[in-house]
Amino acid sequence: MATAAEPGFDRALIEESAKKSALVWVRGPEGPPRALWHVWHEGAVWLVGGPGEQPLDGLGLADGARATVSCRSKDKGGRLVVWPAEVAEPAPDDQVRAAAVVELATKRLNAPDTAALAERWNAECRVLRFTPAGGTSQGPGTMPDDGGAAPPLPTPASTRVPTPTGLPTRRRRRKRG
């Protein structure tokens, strides 16, 4: 069995967890982490965002920026590995980007325009590549003791209001004894 001290273990763990996870959590230089769908292609996580796709605004993901990517376990859903990544936004004529866009298009669920998806992404959206930049900062055996929970983001939505009087209430049943 491989241990964390062996060369290539971190890279293999990053690759396998990114391939099997439907979402990755990305924390850019700005803003809170965000869950984003992706594909693993040619040694990197690729994702698309913009109008009609997942929002990337507020994360500060510019070409050459650094980000932190978290992958979760497929079976339990808990955090499995956290790794630093270098963000790149290849040009639309890049061959590797074109191949990644084809793979992204096959994984895109409920697309409104499947026939012209790649053209729309090239014209209106951003396609980003997250290349691992170093070893894992968290992984099996190196997880922090705290749960990593963060307070919820501020929102005008609220559920802490009194129940309207017209709604029926639940009555508690007494145990017969």
Side-chain angles (χ1 to χ4, degrees), residues 1 11 16 18 32 43 45 49 65 69 77 79 87 96 98-99 111-112 121 126 144:
M1 180 169 179
R11 180 66 176 197
E16 283 303 309
V45 164
V69 179
R79 183 177 53 220
V87 181
V96 178
W121 286 350
R126 298 176 65 200

Side-chain angles (χ1 to χ4, degrees), residues 59-177:
L59 293 175
L61 299 174
D63 197 16
R66 301 281 280 196
T68 303
V69 179
S70 297
C71 296
R72 61 190 182 133
S73 167
K74 185 174 179 132
D75 58 347
K76 301 289 185 187
R79 183 177 53 220
L80 180 63
V81 64
V82 178
W83 46 279
E86 185 172 325
V87 181
E89 188 171 359
D93 60 350
D94 185 70
Q95 295 297 325
V96 178
R97 181 188 190 270
V101 164
V102 169
E103 195 163 334
L104 279 163
T106 62
K107 301 292 184 191
R108 173 64 163 92
L109 300 176
N110 304 323
D113 55 348
T114 54
L117 197 58
E119 291 80 19
R120 182 172 63 84
W121 286 350
N122 286 334
E124 301 173 5
C125 295
R126 298 176 65 200
V127 177
L128 300 177
R129 178 181 66 218
F130 293 80
T131 307
T136 61
S137 59
Q138 295 178 20
T142 60
M143 289 293 181
D145 290 335
D146 65 343
L153 297 175
T155 177
S158 174
T159 57
R160 302 283 182 196
V161 295
T163 305
T165 57
L167 291 178
T169 59
R170 271 190 194 180
R171 293 184 181 167
R172 291 187 179 183
R173 294 179 134 183
R174 290 186 181 182
K175 290 185 179 181
R176 293 182 186 178

